[in-house]
């Protein structure tokens, strides 16, 4: 009997087809499992791990064009009159800043500390965390409200402070650390060479400062804060991360430094005609040239004058435009605007 008779060949073909079908099914199952688990993979510069506690969006958006329903910047900007004058003049300020930790620990303690103080004409409030959560009920699409604080109490505090004519009220917003928006708009975020999103040491995703949609997103936050009564918005962490793991290049020939300068110009241009003043935390004189105030975090009063000298060519009124954020009580800060923590160890 021939081993490869016609009958045996048919049986062999059936066996091979069955094995192939099983292998394809197994490969498809593994692919589906990989795609499912990939939603929970978190990358950093030197490791990758699974985090099943992450809050995921229903879909991942990698849109090529901006959807006006998803991103209402034009709606917000249209509500502002381009000819509306600035309602308040910038002046030297002395006061306090309120962190997200202070708000989470309880607004009653914050209010009591403000009531006990009588030597301030400015208050800055953290209205958004580096994790992308808002400390007020934002109307922006996809905005997630912080659960660690009593938002009703925070919003009541904001209304009380912004109603005071004798007070400059500043909202502080992390500029580019924004995990929620970055995950939903991955084409606008900083990425690794693998294509995964880059994270900082707090495991937060960052937005691409050179992206026009990112700049419009930040401008829309500023306009929303203007509607809430804030006088100024301070964009914190206004820099490009230095990590070599970031895969980034510019079609316009920008460097990382000039990309930040371009972002400051773009945000400023988007807010032209609005009444809210724009501040940045930066050590770049070119960024300072676009700011109503330039803020510097410092605990060493010995650098006060050298810092002022570094910005001297771009600030028309350094005493009001240079804002120091410090816990120090050194009197050398008093020649400039200064804000100190309202509560200790915060």
């Amino acid at each position: 009997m021939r081993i490869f008779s016609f009958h045996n060949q048919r049986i062999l073909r059936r066996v091979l087809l069955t094995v192939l079908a099983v292998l394809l099914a197994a490969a498809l199952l593994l692919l589906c499992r990989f795609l499912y688990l990939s939603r929970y993979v978190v990358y950093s510069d030197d490791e990758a791990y699974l985090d099943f506690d992450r809050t995921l969006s229903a879909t991942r958006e990698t849109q090529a064009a901006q959807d006006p329903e998803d991103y209402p910047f034009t709606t917000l900007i249209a509500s502002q009159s381009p000819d509306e004058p600035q309602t308040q003049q910038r002046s030297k300020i002395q006061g306090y800043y309120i962190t997200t930790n202070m708000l989470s620990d309880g607004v009653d303690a914050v209010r009591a500390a403000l009531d006990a103080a009588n030597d301030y004409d400015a208050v800055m409030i953290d209205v958004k965390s580096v994790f992308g959560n808002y400390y007020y009920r934002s109307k922006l699409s996809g905005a997630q409200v912080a659960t660690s604080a009593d938002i009703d109490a925070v919003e009541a505090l904001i209304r009380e402070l912004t109603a005071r004519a004798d007070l400059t009220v500043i909202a502080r917003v992390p500029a580019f650390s924004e995990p929620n928006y970055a995950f939903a708009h991955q084409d606008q975020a900083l990425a690794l060479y693998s294509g995964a999103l880059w994270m900082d040491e707090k495991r937060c995703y960052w937005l691409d400062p050179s992206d026009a949609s990112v700049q419009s997103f930040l401008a829309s936050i500023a306009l929303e804060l203007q509607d809430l009564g804030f006088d100024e918005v301070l964009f914190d962490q206004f820099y490009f991360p230095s990590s070599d793991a970031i895969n980034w290049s510019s079609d316009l020939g920008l460097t990382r430094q000039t990309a930040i300068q371009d972002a400051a110009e773009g945000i400023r241009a988007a807010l032209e005609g609005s009444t809210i003043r724009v501040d940045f935390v930066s050590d770049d004189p070119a960024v300072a040239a676009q700011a109503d105030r330039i803020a510097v975090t410092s605990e060493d009063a010995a650098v006060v004058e050298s810092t002022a000298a570094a910005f001297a060519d771009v600030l028309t009124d350094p005493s009001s435009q240079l804002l120091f954020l410090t816990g120090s009580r050194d009197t050398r800060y008093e020649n400039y605007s200064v804000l100190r923590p309202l509560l200790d160890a915060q």
Side-chain angles (χ1 to χ4, degrees):
M1 181 180 66
R2 291 184 303 165
I3 296 177
F4 293 103
S5 65
F6 178 75
H7 177 71
N8 289 342
Q9 289 178 12
R10 290 183 62 188
I11 294 176
L12 181 60
R13 280 198 297 269
R14 289 177 183 175
V15 171
L16 290 176
L17 288 174
T18 301
V19 171
L20 180 60
V22 171
L23 290 176
L24 287 176
L28 182 60
L29 181 63
L30 288 173
L31 178 61
C32 291
R33 182 172 178 80
F34 172 77
L35 292 176
Y36 173 78
L37 291 176
S38 65
R39 301 183 303 164
Y40 299 96
V41 177
V42 177
Y43 296 89
S44 63
D45 289 350
D46 55 3
E47 65 175 335
Y49 64 95
L50 293 174
D51 183 356
F52 293 101
D53 296 326
R54 295 179 62 193
T55 300
L56 301 178
S57 303
T59 58
R60 293 190 183 189
E61 297 176 329
T62 53
Q63 55 195 38
Q66 179 175 308
D67 182 352
E69 289 297 321
D70 177 64
Y71 189 60
F73 167 70
T74 53
T75 302
L76 286 172
I77 197 70
S79 68
Q80 311 303 320
S81 169
D83 299 322
E84 189 173 0
Q86 194 82 354
T87 57
Q88 298 185 39
Q89 296 297 317
R90 181 186 60 238
S91 60
K92 179 181 173 184
I93 56 175
Q94 305 281 318
Y96 301 97
Y97 62 80
I98 302 167
T99 66
T100 56
N101 286 338
M102 296 178 195
L103 295 175
S104 297
D105 287 345
V107 173
D108 289 343
V110 169
R111 185 177 283 105
L114 288 172
D115 290 343
N118 56 12
D119 58 345
Y120 66 97
D121 56 17
V123 172
M124 182 171 72
I125 307 175
D126 286 1
V127 296
K128 193 165 179 284
S129 74
V130 294
F131 302 104
N133 299 319
Y134 294 74
Y135 282 73
Y136 66 96
R137 291 182 177 87
S138 172
K139 296 179 181 179
L140 296 179
S141 177
Q144 296 187 26
V145 177
T147 59
S148 60
D150 183 342
I151 299 302
D152 287 333
V154 174
E155 290 184 332
L157 176 64
I158 290 173
R159 288 193 296 271
E160 291 172 17
L161 295 176
T162 55
R164 290 178 52 178
D166 64 328
L167 200 62
T168 296
V169 188
I170 305 171
R172 179 160 58 175
V173 175
F176 305 115
S177 176
E178 225 298 3
N180 297 328
Y181 184 91
F183 189 75
H185 305 82
Q186 296 187 26
D187 57 327
Q188 300 173 30
L190 297 178
L192 300 171
Y193 286 89
S194 65
L197 298 184
W198 178 84
M199 291 190 309
D200 63 13
E201 66 280 359
K202 293 183 178 179
R203 303 192 181 282
C204 292
Y205 299 142
W206 278 53
L207 304 178
D208 180 355
S210 67
D211 191 286
S213 294
V214 169
Q215 297 168 18
S216 294
F217 169 64
L218 295 178
S220 69
I221 294 175
L223 290 175
E224 186 172 60
L225 293 169
Q226 173 183 290
D227 289 342
L228 291 178
F230 284 96
D231 302 300
E232 303 181 19
V233 58
L234 174 68
F235 289 111
D236 200 358
Q237 297 179 314
F238 204 78
Y239 63 88
F240 202 116
S242 59
S243 173
D244 292 333
I246 297 173
N247 179 21
W248 180 86
S249 62
S250 169
D251 294 336
L252 301 177
L254 298 174
T255 64
R256 295 188 181 193
Q257 181 177 5
T258 56
I260 288 296
Q261 297 168 1
D262 177 76
E265 293 179 16
I267 294 169
R268 189 78 201 200
L271 293 172
E272 187 69 30
S274 65
T275 60
I276 194 164
R277 293 188 289 271
V278 184
D279 311 331
F280 300 107
V281 174
S282 175
D283 58 3
D284 188 339
V287 172
Q290 301 296 325
D292 286 287
R293 299 187 207 273
I294 194 73
V296 177
T297 300
S298 169
E299 300 301 330
D300 181 7
V303 304
V304 169
E305 293 307 321
S306 60
T307 302
F311 293 111
D313 293 338
V314 295
L315 300 180
T316 57
D317 182 13
S319 65
S320 66
Q321 289 180 272
L322 185 55
L323 171 62
F324 285 100
L325 308 178
T326 182
S328 171
R329 293 290 173 177
D330 195 296
T331 57
R332 283 173 286 186
Y333 288 106
E334 306 306 324
N335 293 324
Y336 304 94
S337 294
V338 58
L339 297 176
R340 295 184 171 91
L342 178 64
L343 300 174
D344 294 334
Q346 299 287 344

